[in-house]
Amino acid sequence: MDEKTEKLLQTFFEKKQVGLAKIITLIENRADDYEEVLSRLFPRSRNAYRVGITGPPGAGKGTQAQLLAEKRGLYHLETSRLLEAAFNSDNLKKVVQVKLKYRRKYNCGNDNSDKKDS
């Protein structure tokens, strides 16, 4: 592995975002030493696979993630379902209701009182 890639790995291990972005690019582009980079990263992952799927709304990210999970025997953790479950819990509902009531009562975030009509 060349010195540049070694330094890049060190940046990543220091948990700097720029290191992550560059390593993802290196792997996606299948650079000459990408397999060695993967072999250095995998032991630190505690043998866990994490897959992120991005795309615009309606592109089929959830469908693809579910199919991948089923095919590989993986657990599909869907963020929107977690948020929905959290919101449906009684405690969170109460917090949101109180915050909304407070915002309406005190007009938080929408105070235009210093603006004058022309």
Side-chain angles (χ1 to χ4, degrees):
M1 183 179 314
D2 66 11
E3 189 177 327
K4 184 179 176 183
T5 305
E6 191 69 47
K7 190 173 182 174
L8 178 61
L9 274 170
Q10 188 59 42
T11 302
F12 173 75
F13 293 143
E14 292 169 0
K15 300 183 180 180
K16 295 181 181 170
Q17 280 186 333
V18 69
L20 172 62
K22 288 183 179 183
I23 283 180
I24 289 172
T25 301
L26 183 141
I27 293 168
E28 285 178 339
N29 293 334
R30 296 189 187 270
D32 293 337
D33 47 5
Y34 87 96
E35 288 177 328
E36 189 173 347
V37 169
L38 286 173
S39 69
R40 296 267 306 274
L41 293 173
F42 191 71
R44 291 175 176 242
S45 71
R46 298 186 184 112
N47 300 325
Y49 289 98
R50 291 188 183 129
V51 177
I53 299 176
T54 61
K61 300 176 296 291
T63 301
Q64 292 302 314
Q66 186 63 44
L67 291 170
L68 179 64
E70 289 171 7
K71 185 172 183 172
R72 299 288 182 180
L74 304 171
Y75 179 73
H76 177 218
L77 180 65
E78 193 172 349
T79 308
S80 62
R81 298 280 185 236
L82 290 173
L83 293 172
E84 185 179 301
F87 182 76
N88 288 332
S89 73
D90 288 337
N91 288 339
L92 186 59
K93 274 185 184 177
K94 290 175 186 171
V95 169
V96 170
Q97 289 169 349
V98 168
K99 284 184 118 180
L100 289 173
K101 189 176 181 180
Y102 181 88
R103 288 181 96 184
R104 281 192 296 267
K105 183 175 181 179
Y106 296 101
N107 199 20
C108 292
N110 298 317
D111 186 11
N112 294 324
S113 60
D114 60 338
K115 293 183 181 178
K116 295 181 180 178
D117 293 321
S118 305

